[in-house]
Each structure stands twice: as structure tokens, then as C-alpha cells.
Amino acid sequence: MEDIEDVLGPAGLSGGGAPPGLRLPLAAVAVKPKRRSSRVAQTPPQPEARIPGTQTIYVKTFGCSHNQSDSEYMSGQLSAFGYAITEEPEGADLWLINTCTVKNPSQSAMTTLIMKCKNANKPLVVAGCVPQGSHGLKELEGISIIGVQQIDRVVEVVEETLKGHEVRLLSRKTLPSLDLPKVRKNKFIEILPINVGCLGACTYCKTKHARGHLGSYTIDSLVDRVKTVVSEGVREIWLSSEDTGAYGRDIGTNLPNLLNAIVAELPVDRSTMLRIGMTNPPFILEHLKEIAAVLRHPCVYSFLHVPVQSGSDAVLTAMNREYTVGEFRKVVDTLCELVPGMQIATDIICGFPGETDEDFAETVNLVKEYQFPQVHISQFYPRPGTPAARMKKVPSNDVKKRSRELTSVFESFSPYQGMEGKVERIWITEIATDGVHLVGHTKGYIQVLVIAPDSMLGTSADANITSVGRWSVFGEVIEGSVVVGEAPKQTSIEPQKEHIQNQVEEAGCCATDSCGTCACSDAAQHCVPERCEDTLDAPQTSGDVNRQEAVQSTLVRRNVEGSTKASGSNAAQSVGKEQQANVVTRRGVNVDTVLWCGLAVSFAATVALLVLLTGKISSTSSY
């Protein structure tokens, strides 16, 4: 069927579009009742009439942190209207899938989930980059879809879909407002999109088909959002975009101007930290000193994700990356020279069409030289409609061999060696999935796992680094050093914890961004191809839509898994033994209490039994 776009034109609302938050009547939404067609298998039956805003919505997110932010905004609007957000798909009245188009595995995961939804006869809405960039896909026939710049109308789409109508909103008008209701996956972390799209034209990137050309939010609107989230108790602000470095070039400003304006609004007690998102080399070369000055600021993490993709100029030219290896080196060398403790994360694509053994050797040498603490290693995925998909492929066996070799090189590094015994300031925002550790980050965004009560979430403290692993370090919080900011405010629209979903789904090892960068990279992730092969996912974007930022709980999940794997190695076994001596889990405290109570009850029962037996013996002897 043909796409059904908004029908409001110049004769309608001014500008031809609906203002953010306005709920339009049915005619304005442009819906089409679903037709039963033999082409669409198992079309959900016409749902019974129900009061809008009383249903339960299952939200599933694939891809980058920008996608995660979109899901949080959509969940916020649905929650504000009365809908419940759930983690349980089976009990939901409608499924909302936010998709990623970076790599084949992530799109395959989306297709699998769509089929599960159809088989369960659930109403379905598909959002994100896949419907925006490839809305003609057969898998999307008969399904309501919503584009990346139409998220402010998600309530309308959900309402009409629940009524049995098919809705398609894809036309781009203006950027969604930053002040829409939002339900954060982590109440301490705000993912703040500063622009959409990019200025690049990478030959392998599919994301630009969805996110489009660069569109930046104004500095004033971003600063206002920062003021709001700081007042709500947010402790980390992640700047997110397909390419942070390109910010403002479409509206006559630049990234340093934005960063300086944001930093001026951060609390002087350092209770809220700023993390700058992924940036490609071309757009920060002229601002290196200004960027370095911001990265030195006490409230800004000394961490930056700069994708290189290849150590060969020939391959970079074929990718149309618009920089040379020498320019990448200049970015890294300058930042590391000017910013104490600077940490650089990068991305590598192995097996890009035309890559020779000599080209790959240059990439390996670059990684060996800089020994980056975080590297996302990805195999090339040809995406339909991109120039690279028509290029001559490198044999798949060679691609796998190269990715494994580079992974072996990367895993041979010990980036955190020498940190033992140091005292580092850490900002604690998450609970590790092992249920034992809290997750904090140093000024350089190095992950520190500590044993501490949940009450320390949202605080900062000095930590003594007791041991190091391959993927993270372990520490002990120093008593008396904890800094507690104002407690986060709970809004009336925020659902209970058990109803919050919005998880970033990692395709493969992690979700990458537009240019094939890893969605976890910005979150200081450590990804290797062995974990990505034969698994679902890993997006790939245009100017490097780093899923960056997603960083999100993906970060905790992967890093905890990494530390577990590291403890299995000889180098990390000593770390595990040292740490085990001090480990007392939250569950352990409760178990000890139960054991002591059990001993007391047992003792009392024994005394009572002895008294009873003594009484019986006395009565028997009296006869």
C-alpha cells in the first residue's frame, strides 16, 4: 500500500504540521482502516472498544542511545496519557518496537520480533530508523509505523492502532520538542540529543537514509533542558547525536559554543557530570584546543569516542570518511597531550570491500601503537541501498580471520594496569547486573565496581582502587568522602520500576551507530567480534551514528560480563580472589540475619525441649 502521510497542508495548521503535544482528530492523523489481505498473514482481529489510555504498552528498543532517548520520550508521552509501560510482552495490549538499521543482525532481530507479535495477534507499532529509511519493506506491510521525527505524535498512533487502524507518519517537519514528557530508563542519566542526522556520506552507512541531513537544536533550547534535568536530580548528561562534532553547522554555531553554555549551568559541587558523545575526526580538527579545555573541566568526563574505522588511508577513501589516518592521529595526540587522564574509544570495521592484507596490517599497527582502552571491532555488513553494498566483497573467511586477529591484539592490552592503590573520584549511577556491585566512573570514564548500599546511587565519592581487571577496576569507597546532591524528583508520569522497559537491544555484541560504530563505545564498552558473530545485531550508521550513548544499561551489562570473563583468565584470577575476600552481597546481609534468627530459634527450642524432658523424668521418678 502507499504511505499514508499527514494530510495537513498550508491550509491547515500553520507550517503544515501539528505543534508538539497536540492531539489531532482522526482526519488529521491520516489513518486507514486495516484491510484483510492475503498478503498480510494473521491480521490481528478488530479489537474491542476500550477507553483510550487504559491499556498496557510493551516498548522494545534496538540500537543507539539516540534511539534510547526517543523511546524514553515516547514512553513518557504514553505514560502521561495514562498508558502503562511494561517489560512483559505477553501481557501487553500493544507492542511498540523502536528499530535500528545500522546492521543486518539488528534488522533481523526486528523482523523476528514482528513475527512473534503477529503470531500473538497483538496490535503493533514500529518506530525508529528502519521504517523511516526503508518503509517499503515487506515486513512492515499492514503495520502502523512512525518516523524518527514524529515521536511527539506517538499517542495518536497508538490510539488509532488499538482501534484497528493502520497509521503511517513519516514526513519530516520540525525537530521534536526537548520538553516532551520523558520516562528515563535510569533516573540519574539524561540522554540529550543535540542534533539529528549528519554531514557525512559514508558509503556503508544506512542510518543517514533514516536520520537525514544535519538538523541541530538551538543552544538556548538545550541549555533550558539541562537546567530542567539538573533540577530533577540527574547526575549524568549524555550528549547524543549521529555526529556530535558537526553540531551547529546548520544554524551558524559550533560545538564549543554549546559545550561552554552547558558547562556554565552544571552544579559547582560536581554532582552532575557531562559526557560528550561520539564525534568524527573532520568536524573537531578546527576546535581541538577548545574541546580540550571543556574536557578538562571538573564537571566533564575526560572521555571521547572518536571512530577511526580503518588504519589505511586507501580504505578510508573508499569509505568516504573525509579524513586521513594522520588527521585522526592529530585529534588523539592533541587531546591526550592537553587533557590529563584522557581516554579515547574508537571503532574498527574489518573486511571493508577492497581491504587488502596490507591495509589491515596498518589498522593493527595503529591499534597496537595507541592501545585504546575501548575498541569496538565490527565485521563489515553490506546494507541495501548503500554504495558499499555494490562493491566487491572481501571473502567472509578472511573477514572473520581479521576480526579475530584484531580482537586478540586488543585483548592483550592491560589499559588499567598501575591503578591499584590510587584514589579516584567516582560518580555512581547504576547497579551491576550481578546484584552485588554498584557501578561508578572516574573522571576518565573508567568503570569502577564497588560494594556499597543502594543509597549511594546518585552520589559521588572517593574510592581506593583495590584491583584491576581487563574491562573494569574494583574499588572501595572511602568513608567520609561521599557527596550527596539533591534527591531526584519523582514526576507523576513516571511509572513504577517494575513497569519500565525501554531497554536497548544489542544486535550482536552491541548496537552500533550510523557509521558502524558501537552503541556501547560511548559508554566505554569493550566489544569484540567473537561476541558479535552469529548473534543478533550491531547497527551501523552514517556519520557514525553512534549508538553511542546507549549506552545505557548496555554498559553495565557488558562490562559486568566482561569482568566475569576476565576473572576466568589467569591475569584476572588474582583480581577475583582479592575481591572475593571483601565481597558481602546485598543478599548476604539478609542471609546472615536469617541465619542468626534461625540459631536463636533453634537454641530456644532446645532449651524448651530440655525443660520438657526434665519435667517428664521428674514426674516418672515420682511414681
Side-chain angles (χ1 to χ4, degrees), residues 350 355-364 402-403 405-406:
C350 292
E355 182 185 66
T356 65
D357 289 338
E358 291 73 20
D359 293 327
F360 178 68
E362 291 184 68
T363 299
V364 172
R402 290 173 186 176
S403 65
E405 179 183 342
L406 187 58

Side-chain angles (χ1 to χ4, degrees), residues 317-602:
T317 299
M319 291 179 172
N320 196 27
R321 291 289 289 168
E322 301 179 338
Y323 59 86
T324 65
V325 176
E327 289 172 328
F328 171 80
R329 289 176 180 274
K330 180 179 179 180
V331 170
V332 176
D333 291 344
T334 302
L335 293 180
C336 290
E337 176 186 354
L338 299 179
V339 184
M342 184 68 197
Q343 297 284 304
I344 299 287
T346 196
D347 304 330
I348 302 289
I349 295 177
C350 292
F352 187 83
E355 182 185 66
T356 65
D357 289 338
E358 291 73 20
D359 293 327
F360 178 68
E362 291 184 68
T363 299
V364 172
N365 291 335
L366 181 71
V367 173
K368 284 181 177 179
E369 177 182 349
Y370 284 96
Q371 296 194 16
F372 302 103
Q374 295 100 33
V375 179
H376 172 233
I377 301 169
S378 168
Q379 297 178 34
F380 170 72
Y381 286 92
R383 300 298 291 131
T386 63
R390 300 188 296 270
M391 298 178 182
K392 184 177 180 180
K393 310 297 184 295
V394 175
S396 58
N397 287 338
D398 291 344
V399 176
K400 292 181 179 180
K401 179 181 177 182
R402 290 173 186 176
S403 65
R404 291 190 177 110
E405 179 183 342
L406 187 58
T407 297
S408 178
V409 169
F410 166 67
E411 292 188 332
S412 69
F413 306 151
S414 300
Y416 308 126
Q417 208 64 40
M419 288 188 66
E420 298 96 327
K422 290 187 176 180
V423 174
E424 296 277 355
R425 193 71 181 174
I426 63 172
W427 287 262
I428 304 172
T429 55
E430 301 178 88
I431 300 176
T433 53
D434 63 358
V436 176
H437 296 89
L438 296 186
V439 180
H441 292 94
T442 67
K443 176 72 162 58
Y445 212 68
I446 297 171
Q447 183 170 268
V448 182
L449 302 178
V450 297
I451 303 295
D454 291 357
S455 59
M456 284 199 64
L457 287 169
T459 69
S460 63
D462 290 332
N464 180 41
I465 306 303
T466 57
S467 56
V468 301
R470 176 60 185 85
W471 314 107
S472 53
V473 303
F474 298 88
E476 293 179 346
V477 173
I478 298 176
E479 293 185 12
S481 67
V482 180
V483 175
V484 182
E486 181 182 354
K489 300 176 182 178
Q490 296 294 331
T491 63
S492 58
I493 68 168
E494 186 169 355
Q496 296 301 312
K497 183 177 181 181
E498 61 268 22
H499 294 305
I500 297 178
Q501 163 63 14
N502 291 352
Q503 247 183 336
V504 171
E505 181 67 20
E506 309 167 272
C509 100
C510 51
T512 62
D513 72 31
S514 51
C515 277
T517 42
C518 165
C520 59
S521 325
D522 246 11
Q525 291 316 299
H526 312 271
C527 308
V528 295
E530 279 72 16
R531 296 176 206 160
C532 297
E533 290 174 8
D534 303 323
T535 58
L536 292 178
D537 184 53
Q540 158 183 350
T541 325
S542 89
D544 280 321
V545 173
N546 273 28
R547 23 8 42 279
Q548 359 197 140
E549 309 131 46
V551 292
Q552 329 74 353
S553 60
T554 307
L555 165 66
V556 180
R557 177 167 60 256
R558 255 198 306 281
N559 280 341
V560 170
E561 289 173 353
S563 63
T564 301
K565 291 181 180 180
S567 64
S569 65
N570 294 334
Q573 281 178 357
S574 59
V575 174
K577 291 178 181 178
E578 179 178 345
Q579 196 66 14
Q580 287 170 7
N582 298 321
V583 170
V584 178
T585 69
R586 293 170 180 74
R587 292 186 296 272
V589 174
N590 294 331
V591 170
D592 288 344
T593 302
V594 172
L595 289 176
W596 279 112
C597 290
L599 288 173
V601 172
S602 298

Side-chain angles (χ1 to χ4, degrees), residues 106-122:
S106 58
Q107 192 161 318
S108 297
M110 174 210 73
T111 301
T112 300
L113 198 57
I114 287 176
M115 293 308 301
K116 289 178 65 176
C117 186
K118 288 183 176 181
N119 291 336
N121 288 326
K122 301 281 188 179

Side-chain angles (χ1 to χ4, degrees), residues 63-68 191-192 194-195 238-245 275-280 303-305 307 347 504 511-514 517-525 539 541 543-552 554 558:
C64 67
S65 62
H66 199 158
N67 264 19
Q68 176 64 39
I191 303 172
L192 180 60
I194 62 173
N195 58 262
W238 297 356
L239 300 187
S240 170
S241 80
E242 283 66 58
D243 187 351
T244 302
R275 195 187 77 185
I276 303 174
M278 182 280 301
T279 181
N280 289 305
F303 169 83
L304 196 62
H305 176 203
D347 304 330
V504 171
T512 62
D513 72 31
S514 51
T517 42
C518 165
C520 59
S521 325
D522 246 11
Q525 291 316 299
T541 325
D544 280 321
V545 173
N546 273 28
R547 23 8 42 279
Q548 359 197 140
E549 309 131 46
V551 292
Q552 329 74 353
T554 307
R558 255 198 306 281

